[in-house]
């Protein structure tokens, strides 16, 4: 059974940095795509960034130059490096994986950013 397990969330002050990790378990091969979405309080879920096994990345908002998605295919892990965090980045961050025409989601990890 494929599962995505996030870690690294938690409180951070505005201007700070945080690194989220997500490991895919129960997979035999690297997922075609892994990445991150987020849902802020009272808002819809939005794309943060995705990365393919070849290292191609896609970001949901061109202004999110503060965020970087990267992968370690050998470890079936995707990372989200977040810098200069702002209170509006407060959200539940979900890990996402896509492989063999199936989509997978992690349970989410909270990232509250205090002003």
């Amino acid at each position: 059974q494929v599962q995505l397990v996030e870690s690294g969330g938690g409180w951070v002050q505005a201007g700070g940095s945080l690194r989220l990790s997500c490991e895919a378990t129960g997979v035999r091969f690297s997922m075609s795509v892994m990445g991150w979405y987020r849902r802020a309080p009272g808002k819809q879920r939005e794309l943060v960034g995705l990365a393919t096994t070849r290292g191609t990345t896609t970001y949901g908002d061109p202004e999110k130059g503060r965020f970087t998605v990267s992968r370690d295919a050998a470890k079936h892990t995707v990372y989200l490096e977040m810098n200069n965090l702002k209170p509006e980045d407060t959200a539940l961050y979900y890990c996402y994986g896509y492989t063999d025409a199936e989509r997978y989601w992690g349970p989410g990890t909270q990232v509250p950013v205090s002003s």
Side-chain angles (χ1 to χ4, degrees), residues 38 48 59-69 80-86 89:
R38 72 180 187 182
V48 176
Y59 293 94
D61 185 341
E63 295 179 358
K64 289 193 179 75
R66 298 175 292 120
F67 296 169
T68 303
V69 177
L80 177 63
E81 188 77 35
M82 302 184 289
N83 298 306
N84 190 24
L85 283 160
K86 304 175 181 180
D89 294 318

Side-chain angles (χ1 to χ4, degrees), residues 53-101:
T53 51
R54 296 182 179 181
T56 302
T57 54
T58 301
Y59 293 94
D61 185 341
E63 295 179 358
K64 289 193 179 75
R66 298 175 292 120
F67 296 169
T68 303
V69 177
S70 61
R71 291 185 63 174
D72 185 333
K75 296 181 179 179
H76 303 300
T77 299
V78 64
Y79 305 97
L80 177 63
E81 188 77 35
M82 302 184 289
N83 298 306
N84 190 24
L85 283 160
K86 304 175 181 180
E88 51 264 42
D89 294 318
T90 294
L92 184 64
Y93 285 73
Y94 295 92
C95 181
Y96 168 84
Y98 176 84
T99 193
D100 295 330

